[in-house]
Amino acid sequence: MDKIRIGFIITILGLLFLSYGCKNEEIPANKETPATTNKIKTSNIQSKDFQRVVGWIDDENVLLQLRKDRKIIFESLNVFTGKRHQIYETANVISEVIISPNRDRFLIYSAKSKDMAVLDIISMSGSLMSSKEVKPQNIEFSWNQDDQDKMFMTTFDTDWNYQVFQWDISSGNVAKLNTHSPFISWYSDNLFVSNQKATPQQDRGDLFLEDARDKSVKNLIVADIYQFAVSANTLLTTEPSKDEKSMIYNFRTIGFQSYYKYEAPRVYDELGTFFPFYDLNVEQESFLTFEPYESKKLTNHGGEFKLIKIDPKAKSAKTILELVNNEPILTSPNGEYCLYGYLFDQIIDLKTRDMTYLTQRRDKMY
Protein backbone atom coordinates (compact mmCIF):
# COMPACT_ATOMS: atom_id res chain seq x y z
CA MET A 1 0.00 0.00 0.00
CA ASP A 2 2.99 2.29 -0.71
CA LYS A 3 1.22 4.93 -2.77
CA ILE A 4 -1.89 4.98 -0.58
CA ARG A 5 0.14 5.20 2.60
CA ILE A 6 2.33 8.00 1.24
CA GLY A 7 -0.69 9.89 -0.09
CA PHE A 8 -2.37 9.63 3.31
CA ILE A 9 0.74 10.96 5.09
CA ILE A 10 1.17 13.84 2.64
CA THR A 11 -2.46 14.88 3.02
CA ILE A 12 -2.40 14.82 6.81
CA LEU A 13 0.92 16.64 7.13
CA GLY A 14 -0.12 19.26 4.63
CA LEU A 15 -3.33 20.00 6.48
CA LEU A 16 -1.53 20.22 9.80
CA PHE A 17 1.07 22.70 8.58
CA LEU A 18 -1.55 24.78 6.82
CA SER A 19 -3.64 24.92 9.95
CA TYR A 20 -0.85 26.19 12.21
CA GLY A 21 -2.13 29.29 14.25
CA CYS A 22 -7.48 -3.90 33.68
CA LYS A 23 -6.61 -3.78 36.47
CA ASN A 24 -5.24 -7.15 37.72
CA GLU A 25 -8.07 -9.28 39.18
CA GLU A 26 -7.15 -11.98 41.69
CA ILE A 27 -8.75 -15.37 41.10
CA PRO A 28 -8.22 -18.66 42.83
CA ALA A 29 -5.15 -20.43 41.53
CA ASN A 30 -5.45 -23.99 40.31
CA LYS A 31 -3.75 -26.29 37.88
CA GLU A 32 -5.85 -25.23 34.90
CA THR A 33 -6.34 -21.50 35.54
CA PRO A 34 -3.58 -18.88 35.84
CA ALA A 35 -3.32 -16.99 39.12
CA THR A 36 -4.15 -13.63 37.55
CA THR A 37 -5.85 -12.28 34.50
CA ASN A 38 -5.77 -8.88 32.84
CA LYS A 39 -8.80 -6.98 31.67
CA ILE A 40 -8.65 -3.88 29.50
CA LYS A 41 -10.10 -0.83 31.25
CA THR A 42 -11.80 2.12 29.54
CA SER A 43 -10.15 5.28 30.94
CA ASN A 44 -11.91 8.43 32.08
CA ILE A 45 -10.10 10.68 29.58
CA GLN A 46 -12.33 13.52 28.40
CA SER A 47 -13.17 13.11 24.72
CA LYS A 48 -12.41 16.80 24.06
CA ASP A 49 -8.84 16.27 25.31
CA PHE A 50 -8.09 13.01 23.50
CA GLN A 51 -6.30 13.11 20.14
CA ARG A 52 -4.93 9.60 19.66
CA VAL A 53 -2.94 6.69 21.03
CA VAL A 54 0.52 6.77 19.45
CA GLY A 55 1.54 3.17 20.20
CA TRP A 56 2.82 0.69 22.75
CA ILE A 57 5.46 1.60 25.36
CA ASP A 58 5.46 -1.94 26.79
CA ASP A 59 2.99 -4.79 27.32
CA GLU A 60 0.83 -2.72 29.70
CA ASN A 61 1.33 0.93 28.76
CA VAL A 62 0.58 3.01 25.67
CA LEU A 63 1.62 6.54 24.70
CA LEU A 64 -1.26 9.04 24.62
CA GLN A 65 -1.43 12.31 22.70
CA LEU A 66 -3.79 14.79 24.38
CA ARG A 67 -4.63 18.46 23.91
CA LYS A 68 -5.14 20.71 26.94
CA ASP A 69 -5.02 24.49 27.26
CA ARG A 70 -3.58 24.93 23.76
CA LYS A 71 -0.75 22.50 24.51
CA ILE A 72 -0.09 18.96 23.33
CA ILE A 73 0.45 16.60 26.25
CA PHE A 74 2.05 13.17 25.99
CA GLU A 75 1.18 10.70 28.72
CA SER A 76 1.60 7.01 29.43
CA LEU A 77 -1.60 5.06 30.09
CA ASN A 78 -1.77 1.65 31.76
CA VAL A 79 -4.45 -0.15 29.76
CA PHE A 80 -5.32 -2.45 32.68
CA THR A 81 -5.43 0.02 35.59
CA GLY A 82 -6.22 3.29 33.78
CA LYS A 83 -3.35 5.03 35.57
CA ARG A 84 -1.72 7.87 33.63
CA HIS A 85 1.59 9.67 33.90
CA GLN A 86 2.61 12.83 32.04
CA ILE A 87 5.80 12.52 30.01
CA TYR A 88 6.15 15.67 27.91
CA GLU A 89 4.29 18.73 26.65
CA THR A 90 4.73 21.18 23.78
CA ALA A 91 2.97 24.19 22.29
CA ASN A 92 4.00 23.26 18.74
CA VAL A 93 1.62 21.94 16.08
CA ILE A 94 2.19 18.18 15.86
CA SER A 95 2.60 16.54 12.47
CA GLU A 96 4.00 13.11 13.36
CA VAL A 97 4.96 11.08 16.43
CA ILE A 98 6.90 7.80 16.14
CA ILE A 99 8.00 5.48 18.95
CA SER A 100 11.48 3.99 18.54
CA PRO A 101 11.88 0.23 17.87
CA ASN A 102 13.03 -0.47 21.45
CA ARG A 103 10.31 1.89 22.79
CA ASP A 104 12.57 3.89 25.14
CA ARG A 105 12.10 7.16 23.20
CA PHE A 106 9.90 8.81 20.59
CA LEU A 107 10.22 11.31 17.77
CA ILE A 108 8.03 14.41 17.58
CA TYR A 109 7.89 16.20 14.23
CA SER A 110 6.16 19.53 14.79
CA ALA A 111 5.82 23.09 13.51
CA LYS A 112 7.13 26.03 15.53
CA SER A 113 5.82 28.46 12.92
CA LYS A 114 4.77 28.42 9.28
CA ASP A 115 8.45 28.69 8.30
CA MET A 116 10.11 26.44 10.88
CA ALA A 117 9.62 22.83 11.95
CA VAL A 118 11.53 20.85 14.56
CA LEU A 119 12.54 17.22 15.10
CA ASP A 120 12.63 16.36 18.82
CA ILE A 121 13.73 13.05 20.32
CA ILE A 122 12.10 12.56 23.75
CA SER A 123 12.94 9.81 26.24
CA MET A 124 10.06 7.94 27.86
CA SER A 125 11.10 9.61 31.11
CA GLY A 126 10.36 12.98 29.50
CA SER A 127 13.84 14.39 28.83
CA LEU A 128 14.77 16.06 25.54
CA MET A 129 17.51 13.89 24.04
CA SER A 130 18.00 15.71 20.72
CA SER A 131 16.47 18.55 18.74
CA LYS A 132 16.95 19.73 15.16
CA GLU A 133 15.24 22.53 13.24
CA VAL A 134 14.21 21.86 9.63
CA LYS A 135 12.03 23.43 6.96
CA PRO A 136 8.37 22.34 7.06
CA GLN A 137 7.91 19.58 4.50
CA ASN A 138 6.25 16.22 3.99
CA ILE A 139 8.52 13.59 5.58
CA GLU A 140 8.30 9.84 6.04
CA PHE A 141 10.54 8.37 8.75
CA SER A 142 12.26 4.97 9.07
CA TRP A 143 13.98 4.25 12.40
CA ASN A 144 16.97 1.88 12.49
CA GLN A 145 16.12 -1.21 14.58
CA ASP A 146 19.76 -1.95 15.42
CA ASP A 147 20.99 1.59 16.08
CA GLN A 148 18.49 3.98 17.69
CA ASP A 149 20.67 6.95 16.69
CA LYS A 150 20.06 6.41 12.96
CA MET A 151 17.01 7.32 10.94
CA PHE A 152 16.02 7.68 7.30
CA MET A 153 13.92 10.70 6.32
CA THR A 154 12.21 10.70 2.92
CA THR A 155 10.80 14.02 1.75
CA PHE A 156 8.14 14.46 -0.94
CA ASP A 157 6.83 17.45 -2.85
CA THR A 158 3.46 17.87 -4.57
CA ASP A 159 4.84 16.44 -7.84
CA TRP A 160 5.96 13.20 -6.13
CA ASN A 161 9.61 14.18 -6.33
CA TYR A 162 11.53 12.76 -3.38
CA GLN A 163 14.84 12.91 -1.56
CA VAL A 164 16.16 10.46 1.04
CA PHE A 165 18.36 11.58 3.92
CA GLN A 166 20.17 9.77 6.72
CA TRP A 167 19.94 11.53 10.08
CA ASP A 168 22.58 10.74 12.69
CA ILE A 169 20.65 11.73 15.79
CA SER A 170 23.58 11.84 18.22
CA SER A 171 25.66 14.20 16.07
CA GLY A 172 22.76 16.01 14.39
CA ASN A 173 24.29 15.40 10.97
CA VAL A 174 21.91 14.96 8.02
CA ALA A 175 23.34 13.53 4.78
CA LYS A 176 21.65 12.79 1.46
CA LEU A 177 21.39 9.07 0.69
CA ASN A 178 22.19 7.80 -2.79
CA THR A 179 19.26 5.53 -3.63
CA HIS A 180 16.82 5.26 -6.51
CA SER A 181 13.69 4.61 -4.46
CA PRO A 182 11.65 6.37 -1.77
CA PHE A 183 10.44 2.97 -0.48
CA ILE A 184 13.27 1.99 1.86
CA SER A 185 13.78 0.38 5.25
CA TRP A 186 16.80 -0.42 7.39
CA TYR A 187 17.96 -4.05 7.31
CA SER A 188 20.87 -3.78 9.79
CA ASP A 189 22.92 -1.01 11.34
CA ASN A 190 24.23 0.01 7.89
CA LEU A 191 22.39 -2.07 5.27
CA PHE A 192 18.96 -1.18 3.90
CA VAL A 193 16.47 -2.60 1.42
CA SER A 194 14.68 -0.59 -1.27
CA ASN A 195 11.74 -1.36 -3.52
CA GLN A 196 12.68 0.18 -6.86
CA LYS A 197 9.84 0.91 -9.29
CA ALA A 198 9.74 2.57 -12.68
CA THR A 199 7.46 5.21 -11.11
CA PRO A 200 6.24 5.62 -7.50
CA GLN A 201 2.67 5.02 -8.68
CA GLN A 202 3.38 1.55 -10.08
CA ASP A 203 2.16 -1.57 -8.26
CA ARG A 204 5.33 -3.63 -8.55
CA GLY A 205 9.06 -3.20 -8.22
CA ASP A 206 12.30 -5.07 -7.55
CA LEU A 207 13.77 -5.38 -4.05
CA PHE A 208 17.45 -4.50 -3.62
CA LEU A 209 19.91 -4.66 -0.73
CA GLU A 210 22.12 -1.58 -0.42
CA ASP A 211 24.77 -0.18 1.92
CA ALA A 212 24.39 3.33 3.34
CA ARG A 213 28.21 3.63 3.50
CA ASP A 214 28.97 2.45 -0.05
CA LYS A 215 26.75 3.45 -2.98
CA SER A 216 28.39 0.79 -5.21
CA VAL A 217 26.74 -2.01 -3.18
CA LYS A 218 23.43 -2.95 -4.81
CA ASN A 219 22.22 -6.54 -4.89
CA LEU A 220 18.88 -7.81 -6.21
CA ILE A 221 17.01 -9.78 -3.54
CA VAL A 222 13.58 -10.44 -5.05
CA ALA A 223 12.13 -9.39 -8.40
CA ASP A 224 8.55 -8.31 -9.05
CA ILE A 225 7.05 -7.62 -5.62
CA TYR A 226 4.27 -5.34 -4.46
CA GLN A 227 5.73 -4.24 -1.13
CA PHE A 228 7.86 -5.41 1.80
CA ALA A 229 8.31 -5.18 5.56
CA VAL A 230 11.32 -5.86 7.80
CA SER A 231 11.42 -7.16 11.38
CA ALA A 232 14.38 -8.22 13.52
CA ASN A 233 14.78 -11.59 11.80
CA THR A 234 12.12 -11.74 9.08
CA LEU A 235 11.75 -10.15 5.67
CA LEU A 236 8.18 -10.14 4.39
CA THR A 237 7.49 -9.59 0.70
CA THR A 238 4.03 -9.25 -0.82
CA GLU A 239 3.98 -10.78 -4.28
CA PRO A 240 1.52 -11.38 -7.13
CA SER A 241 0.12 -14.83 -7.77
CA LYS A 242 -0.04 -16.50 -11.17
CA ASP A 243 -3.72 -15.77 -11.80
CA GLU A 244 -3.71 -12.26 -10.21
CA LYS A 245 -6.85 -13.16 -8.25
CA SER A 246 -4.78 -13.50 -5.11
CA MET A 247 -1.57 -12.15 -3.60
CA ILE A 248 1.09 -13.97 -1.64
CA TYR A 249 2.63 -13.05 1.71
CA ASN A 250 6.12 -14.56 1.46
CA PHE A 251 8.03 -14.86 4.75
CA ARG A 252 11.81 -14.97 4.35
CA THR A 253 14.82 -15.45 6.62
CA ILE A 254 17.42 -12.75 7.15
CA GLY A 255 19.31 -14.52 4.36
CA PHE A 256 16.28 -13.89 2.08
CA GLN A 257 15.26 -17.56 1.79
CA SER A 258 11.50 -18.19 1.67
CA TYR A 259 10.22 -20.41 4.49
CA TYR A 260 6.44 -19.86 4.39
CA LYS A 261 3.94 -18.52 1.86
CA TYR A 262 0.39 -17.48 2.65
CA GLU A 263 -2.05 -16.80 -0.19
CA ALA A 264 -4.94 -14.33 0.26
CA PRO A 265 -7.59 -12.93 -2.11
CA ARG A 266 -6.51 -9.78 -3.95
CA VAL A 267 -8.74 -6.71 -3.93
CA TYR A 268 -8.23 -3.63 -6.05
CA ASP A 269 -9.49 -0.12 -6.71
CA GLU A 270 -9.05 2.51 -9.42
CA LEU A 271 -5.36 2.85 -8.55
CA GLY A 272 -4.56 -0.85 -8.74
CA THR A 273 -3.96 -3.46 -6.03
CA PHE A 274 -5.27 -2.48 -2.61
CA PHE A 275 -3.20 -3.56 0.39
CA PRO A 276 -4.96 -3.99 3.74
CA PHE A 277 -3.35 -2.72 6.94
CA TYR A 278 -1.00 -5.16 8.66
CA ASP A 279 1.47 -5.46 11.53
CA LEU A 280 4.59 -7.62 11.65
CA ASN A 281 5.41 -8.21 15.32
CA VAL A 282 9.17 -8.09 15.77
CA GLU A 283 9.33 -9.91 19.11
CA GLN A 284 6.73 -12.59 18.46
CA GLU A 285 7.37 -13.11 14.74
CA SER A 286 3.63 -13.08 14.13
CA PHE A 287 1.78 -11.34 11.35
CA LEU A 288 -1.62 -9.71 11.77
CA THR A 289 -3.59 -8.43 8.79
CA PHE A 290 -7.03 -7.98 7.26
CA GLU A 291 -8.07 -10.45 4.60
CA PRO A 292 -10.86 -9.92 2.06
CA TYR A 293 -13.39 -12.71 1.63
CA GLU A 294 -12.95 -12.79 -2.13
CA SER A 295 -11.08 -11.17 -4.96
CA LYS A 296 -13.05 -8.16 -6.20
CA LYS A 297 -13.07 -4.42 -6.63
CA LEU A 298 -13.11 -2.66 -3.28
CA THR A 299 -16.28 -0.82 -2.27
CA ASN A 300 -16.94 1.75 0.44
CA HIS A 301 -19.03 -0.66 2.49
CA GLY A 302 -17.76 -1.65 5.93
CA GLY A 303 -17.07 -5.14 7.20
CA GLU A 304 -15.47 -6.41 4.00
CA PHE A 305 -12.58 -8.07 5.82
CA LYS A 306 -11.70 -10.59 8.48
CA LEU A 307 -8.81 -10.06 10.88
CA ILE A 308 -6.36 -12.96 10.71
CA LYS A 309 -3.20 -13.89 12.59
CA ILE A 310 -0.46 -15.78 10.77
CA ASP A 311 2.28 -17.72 12.54
CA PRO A 312 4.94 -18.20 9.84
CA LYS A 313 7.09 -20.49 12.00
CA ALA A 314 4.19 -22.85 12.73
CA LYS A 315 2.98 -22.37 9.13
CA SER A 316 -0.55 -21.72 10.34
CA ALA A 317 -3.21 -19.00 10.32
CA LYS A 318 -6.39 -18.36 12.28
CA THR A 319 -9.25 -15.89 12.10
CA ILE A 320 -9.53 -13.45 15.02
CA LEU A 321 -12.58 -11.38 13.96
CA GLU A 322 -15.12 -11.59 11.16
CA LEU A 323 -16.76 -8.77 9.17
CA VAL A 324 -14.53 -5.93 10.34
CA ASN A 325 -13.27 -2.72 8.74
CA ASN A 326 -9.76 -2.37 7.38
CA GLU A 327 -8.13 0.09 9.81
CA PRO A 328 -4.62 0.47 11.30
CA ILE A 329 -3.48 -2.21 13.76
CA LEU A 330 -0.50 -2.56 16.11
CA THR A 331 0.17 -5.58 18.32
CA SER A 332 1.65 -5.35 21.82
CA PRO A 333 5.25 -6.54 22.29
CA ASN A 334 4.05 -9.86 23.78
CA GLY A 335 1.59 -10.35 20.92
CA GLU A 336 -1.46 -10.72 23.19
CA TYR A 337 -3.28 -7.47 22.41
CA CYS A 338 -3.76 -5.22 19.40
CA LEU A 339 -4.43 -1.50 19.08
CA TYR A 340 -7.06 -0.88 16.41
CA GLY A 341 -8.54 2.10 14.58
CA TYR A 342 -7.33 5.30 12.97
CA LEU A 343 -6.83 6.77 16.45
CA PHE A 344 -5.74 3.45 18.02
CA ASP A 345 -8.48 4.05 20.57
CA GLN A 346 -9.61 0.40 20.64
CA ILE A 347 -7.85 -2.72 21.90
CA ILE A 348 -8.50 -6.26 20.70
CA ASP A 349 -7.69 -9.15 23.02
CA LEU A 350 -6.31 -11.65 20.52
CA LYS A 351 -7.10 -14.61 22.79
CA THR A 352 -10.66 -13.79 23.88
CA ARG A 353 -11.41 -11.72 20.73
CA ASP A 354 -12.97 -9.02 22.94
CA MET A 355 -12.79 -5.43 21.69
CA THR A 356 -12.64 -2.54 24.20
CA TYR A 357 -12.51 1.23 23.78
CA LEU A 358 -9.59 2.80 25.67
CA THR A 359 -11.41 6.12 25.94
CA GLN A 360 -15.02 7.18 26.24
CA ARG A 361 -16.56 6.63 22.80
CA ARG A 362 -17.21 9.71 20.69
CA ASP A 363 -19.89 10.15 18.06
CA LYS A 364 -17.70 12.42 15.94
CA MET A 365 -14.03 12.36 14.99
CA TYR A 366 -12.15 15.65 14.79
Side-chain angles (χ1 to χ4, degrees), residues 238-271:
T238 309
E239 304 169 11
S241 65
K242 293 181 180 179
D243 60 7
E244 295 191 352
K245 290 185 178 180
S246 59
M247 62 180 180
I248 297 170
Y249 295 106
N250 196 341
F251 296 87
R252 300 171 179 271
T253 66
I254 56 175
F256 316 124
Q257 298 300 311
S258 173
Y259 67 94
Y260 180 59
K261 294 181 180 180
Y262 181 85
E263 192 168 352
R266 171 182 170 267
V267 289
Y268 51 91
D269 57 17
E270 289 77 7
L271 299 176

Side-chain angles (χ1 to χ4, degrees), residues 249 262 276-279 287-293 303-310 317-331 336-341 346-351 353-355:
Y249 295 106
Y262 181 85
F277 287 105
Y278 63 82
D279 179 58
F287 181 68
L288 202 68
T289 189
F290 294 93
E291 181 178 306
Y293 289 92
E304 295 185 72
F305 297 85
K306 56 183 176 181
L307 179 63
I308 64 169
K309 183 178 181 181
I310 300 172
K318 64 178 180 180
T319 299
I320 304 298
L321 294 172
E322 299 271 8
L323 300 172
V324 289
N325 295 331
N326 173 55
E327 296 185 17
I329 46 177
L330 184 64
T331 50
E336 295 181 3
Y337 299 91
C338 174
L339 293 171
Y340 173 58
Q346 301 171 71
I347 285 191
I348 301 170
D349 186 321
L350 298 177
K351 290 183 178 179
R353 296 174 170 82
D354 293 331
M355 188 183 300

Side-chain angles (χ1 to χ4, degrees), residues 64-239:
L64 294 175
Q65 181 177 320
L66 309 172
R67 184 176 181 84
K68 297 179 182 178
D69 302 324
R70 297 183 179 181
K71 290 185 178 181
I72 301 299
I73 312 294
F74 293 95
E75 296 182 353
S76 64
L77 167 69
N78 188 300
V79 300
F80 303 117
T81 67
K83 291 184 179 180
R84 293 153 53 192
H85 173 72
Q86 182 169 323
I87 297 176
Y88 190 75
E89 68 176 46
T90 179
N92 293 349
V93 177
I94 303 296
S95 290
E96 182 64 285
V97 184
I98 301 175
I99 298 175
S100 69
N102 65 6
R103 294 179 293 278
D104 69 343
R105 66 193 72 176
F106 57 98
L107 163 74
I108 301 176
Y109 178 40
S110 61
K112 280 187 174 182
S113 68
K114 65 179 182 179
D115 300 316
M116 182 61 65
V118 62
L119 302 168
D120 291 324
I121 304 295
I122 312 298
S123 73
M124 286 301 177
S125 62
S127 61
L128 178 63
M129 302 175 66
S130 178
S131 184
K132 186 172 186 63
E133 292 184 340
V134 295
K135 293 181 179 180
Q137 52 195 323
N138 300 310
I139 305 179
E140 184 173 289
F141 301 92
S142 176
W143 216 316
N144 192 307
Q145 298 182 55
D146 297 302
D147 186 344
Q148 306 289 299
D149 284 332
K150 292 180 181 179
M151 184 179 292
F152 285 146
M153 301 187 298
T154 305
T155 65
F156 296 89
D157 62 22
T158 55
D159 295 322
W160 292 95
N161 297 314
Y162 69 90
Q163 288 184 302
V164 182
F165 300 90
Q166 181 178 336
W167 177 26
D168 187 296
I169 297 172
S170 58
S171 68
N173 181 55
V174 175
K176 187 175 180 180
L177 186 72
N178 291 304
T179 183
H180 299 288
S181 172
F183 311 115
I184 64 172
S185 180
W186 290 98
Y187 203 66
S188 67
D189 55 348
N190 292 301
L191 301 177
F192 66 96
V193 286
S194 62
N195 187 4
Q196 299 189 12
K197 306 178 180 183
T199 65
Q201 294 81 8
Q202 281 196 341
D203 260 5
R204 305 178 190 178
D206 297 330
L207 193 64
F208 287 86
L209 179 69
E210 302 184 64
D211 193 323
R213 302 162 300 182
D214 184 356
K215 64 180 181 180
S216 67
V217 176
K218 184 178 178 182
N219 300 309
L220 177 65
I221 301 173
V222 189
D224 195 29
I225 68 164
Y226 288 125
Q227 56 178 202
F228 72 97
V230 178
S231 82
N233 49 17
T234 299
L235 170 66
L236 172 69
T237 54
T238 309
E239 304 169 11

